[in-house]
Amino acid sequence: MSRTAPTDAIRTPAPVPDEEARLRELGYQPVLARRMGGFGNFAISFSVISILSGCMTLYGFGLGTGGPAVMLWGWAGVGLFVLCVGLALAEVTSAYPTSGALYYMADRLGGRRWGWYTGWLNLLGLLGAIAGIDYGAALFTGAFLNLQWGFEPTAGSTFLIFLAILLLHAVLNLFGVRLVSVLNSISVWWHLAGVAVIVGALAIVPDRHQSAEFVFTEFVNDTGWASPLYVAAIGLLLAQYTFSGYDASAHLSEETSNASVTAAKGIVRAIWVSWIAGFALLAGLTFAIQDYAATQNSATGVPPAQILLDALGSGGATALLLVVIVAQLFCGNAEVAAASRMVFAFSRDNALPGSALWRKVSTRTQTPVPAVWLAVAVAAVLALPSLYSATAYGAVTAINVIGITPAYAIPIYLRLRAGDRFVPGPWSLGRWSRPIGWTAVVWVGLVTVLFCLPQKSPVTVDSMNYAVIALAAVLLLASVWWYVARRSYGTPTTYGSAREESEIAESIV
């Protein structure tokens, strides 16, 4: 594919009303169906953030790494910084609305190697997110079955449930983006109504609640580390993990109407709506704790399920667990859509082994079918350690954070470095671009270091934080593969060369 120097690549983007023409300017022939509206684009990022997935699945982690004080104040603080990241990323998304999203932006603003490593980090994060979300849904499904029929979840049975959920999400994604968009739109209202029902029930039904002092000041340290500051920093994983995946709006740009504006707005709206609703959910759960130790050591294996059980009884807990599980299923389905588009886009630019297969698109549904199957297959492999280690789920969530969070900052940093050479799209931060952008970059640098640190002491095989190993592995793989694929990898400057037309024709099946 033809390329120009990175400095030349920053020269164009004036607002173009025709998104298909804009995509051709960026170098790609439209092959995906543009059937998603603005609400649907917001809905996919909101569904992937999924407060009923992230907050609920990592609530038990939060109980021991700082407790209520870190969960509530950490959520408030992390949400503010993540909003800065989202605002800065939305500005770059408006200029480069493609399915490749982060890596395409980095490639255009910094050059091929920046794009290459950003793409691999983004891909690791997205695939880790599928594994984390769907494995969390499997844990909650096991807790539901335990309450309803006395089913005793084991590592093996939980993994089988996880595989069934992955299969469901693959099949749903094969029907096309219109079904994905409809499900995401339903997901928004399901999440908001679900939070309202859970918080309302926990506020009204129990005879006893924790005090405000307990909820906002109680600090709990079960990590084995002596430093409260270190423990509080590690405890931010709950919020930072939940506040990830909003790049889904960017990855669905090529399937969204008026994407130069709506994809940018989708990112920002998904974050602030989740910020408010998530704080209400965490506060509602924490006020309703009846027995802290029993909640941490729940027989269901899921502390929020124990809170619901103690506060509402078996019937109420079972009903609300079902609400949470459905929300998590919506979340996982949206994440498969986003990850598969990343696989498709990265393969379109010849970055993955077997790219010719993964970039194929169904002529019937205009969906990248092989990319969908690859995304769920890799997610299944990432979750395999859960069969052998109780801490594996925490490692999977950390892999998601450690992969995707740095990938958010790279295009933001490169946009700042480009200065006036960066031409904004129709959605811009104006004079706030630099202060918000640098705040985002510094924050991402901080949390990337934090989430490579061990979370338990003493550090053993079971308690080790494997995120740093995963990060090193993906960077090593990317470096090795660079020397194999560097001659074929590259984003096009404009659509229309004979080679590009040939490759697009071959990719549609």
Side-chain angles (χ1 to χ4, degrees), residues 225-476:
W225 297 108
S227 170
L229 182 62
Y230 183 90
V231 174
I234 297 301
L236 298 179
L237 176 60
L238 184 155
Q240 187 65 47
Y241 165 69
T242 305
F243 279 120
S244 63
Y246 43 85
D247 57 315
S249 289
H251 288 295
L252 272 292
S253 291
E254 293 181 32
E255 295 159 87
T256 301
S257 301
N258 194 26
S260 297
V261 174
T262 53
K265 288 183 176 179
I267 291 171
V268 178
R269 287 173 179 169
I271 293 171
W272 71 256
V273 173
S274 299
W275 189 18
I276 295 169
F279 188 86
L281 176 62
L282 289 172
L285 285 168
T286 309
F287 271 111
I289 292 175
Q290 304 297 305
D291 185 327
Y292 203 92
T295 299
Q296 287 182 291
N297 302 299
S298 173
T300 66
V302 179
Q306 193 63 45
I307 294 174
L308 298 176
L309 188 61
D310 293 341
L312 308 175
S314 179
T318 302
L320 292 185
L321 266 182
L322 192 57
V323 170
V324 173
I325 291 167
V326 172
Q328 292 172 339
L329 294 177
F330 279 130
C331 174
N333 190 64
E335 185 62 34
V336 169
S340 63
R341 271 51 175 190
M342 173 59 194
V343 171
F344 159 76
F346 218 25
S347 298
R348 180 173 58 183
D349 292 328
N350 295 308
L352 296 180
S355 286
L357 171 61
W358 311 125
R359 64 172 174 250
K360 290 182 182 295
V361 176
S362 166
T363 53
R364 184 175 61 85
T365 62
Q366 292 179 276
T367 298
V369 173
V372 170
W373 286 115
L374 179 64
V376 297
V378 174
V381 172
L382 285 176
L384 275 174
S386 66
L387 290 170
Y388 310 102
S389 170
T391 60
Y393 178 68
V396 170
T397 59
I399 288 169
N400 165 222
V401 172
I402 205 66
I404 211 165
T405 306
Y408 289 156
I410 293 172
I412 298 171
Y413 165 73
L414 293 173
R415 176 263 175 275
L416 293 168
R417 192 182 71 167
D420 293 338
R421 293 184 293 112
F422 171 77
V423 180
W427 194 98
S428 172
L429 295 174
R431 63 191 178 91
W432 292 100
S433 181
R434 294 190 70 81
I436 289 176
W438 282 115
T439 300
V441 170
V442 171
W443 171 251
V444 169
L446 174 64
V447 296
T448 300
V449 172
L450 285 179
F451 297 144
C452 285
L453 300 177
Q455 298 163 6
K456 293 281 188 180
S457 178
V459 179
T460 65
V461 172
D462 285 334
S463 66
M464 181 178 174
N465 184 352
Y466 289 95
V468 67
I469 296 177
L471 178 62
V474 76
L475 291 175
L476 178 62

Side-chain angles (χ1 to χ4, degrees), residues 71-350:
M71 284 195 285
L72 270 297
W73 293 113
W75 182 270
V78 169
L80 179 62
F81 285 111
V82 169
L83 185 59
C84 290
V85 178
L87 286 164
L89 186 63
E91 182 177 54
V92 190
T93 297
S94 178
Y96 303 110
T98 72
S99 295
L102 309 181
Y103 90 85
Y104 181 89
M105 302 169 196
D107 184 283
R108 275 291 182 264
L109 293 166
R112 296 173 72 228
R113 284 216 186 196
W114 281 104
W116 178 267
Y117 283 101
T118 302
W120 279 97
L121 287 170
N122 191 196
L123 187 60
L124 170 71
L126 289 167
L127 297 174
I130 297 174
I133 292 163
D134 281 2
Y135 192 81
L139 288 171
F140 271 73
T141 302
F144 172 81
L145 296 174
N146 177 267
L147 289 176
Q148 189 68 21
W149 292 291
F151 171 80
E152 291 296 334
T154 63
S157 61
T158 301
F159 194 80
L160 289 176
I161 296 170
F162 165 69
L163 292 179
I165 292 171
L166 282 178
L167 180 61
L168 170 66
H169 288 154
V171 171
L172 288 174
N173 270 271
L174 296 182
F175 282 98
V177 75
R178 181 164 290 170
L179 176 60
V180 172
S181 183
V182 168
L183 291 174
N184 289 331
S185 298
I186 296 170
S187 170
V188 171
W189 301 112
W190 186 275
H191 273 81
L192 294 177
V195 169
V197 169
I198 291 170
V199 173
L202 291 176
I204 295 169
V205 176
D207 295 327
R208 173 183 172 272
H209 290 88
Q210 298 290 343
S211 66
E213 181 182 10
F214 173 87
V215 171
F216 293 104
T217 66
E218 182 72 14
F219 183 86
V220 178
N221 178 11
D222 293 332
T223 66
W225 297 108
S227 170
L229 182 62
Y230 183 90
V231 174
I234 297 301
L236 298 179
L237 176 60
L238 184 155
Q240 187 65 47
Y241 165 69
T242 305
F243 279 120
S244 63
Y246 43 85
D247 57 315
S249 289
H251 288 295
L252 272 292
S253 291
E254 293 181 32
E255 295 159 87
T256 301
S257 301
N258 194 26
S260 297
V261 174
T262 53
K265 288 183 176 179
I267 291 171
V268 178
R269 287 173 179 169
I271 293 171
W272 71 256
V273 173
S274 299
W275 189 18
I276 295 169
F279 188 86
L281 176 62
L282 289 172
L285 285 168
T286 309
F287 271 111
I289 292 175
Q290 304 297 305
D291 185 327
Y292 203 92
T295 299
Q296 287 182 291
N297 302 299
S298 173
T300 66
V302 179
Q306 193 63 45
I307 294 174
L308 298 176
L309 188 61
D310 293 341
L312 308 175
S314 179
T318 302
L320 292 185
L321 266 182
L322 192 57
V323 170
V324 173
I325 291 167
V326 172
Q328 292 172 339
L329 294 177
F330 279 130
C331 174
N333 190 64
E335 185 62 34
V336 169
S340 63
R341 271 51 175 190
M342 173 59 194
V343 171
F344 159 76
F346 218 25
S347 298
R348 180 173 58 183
D349 292 328
N350 295 308

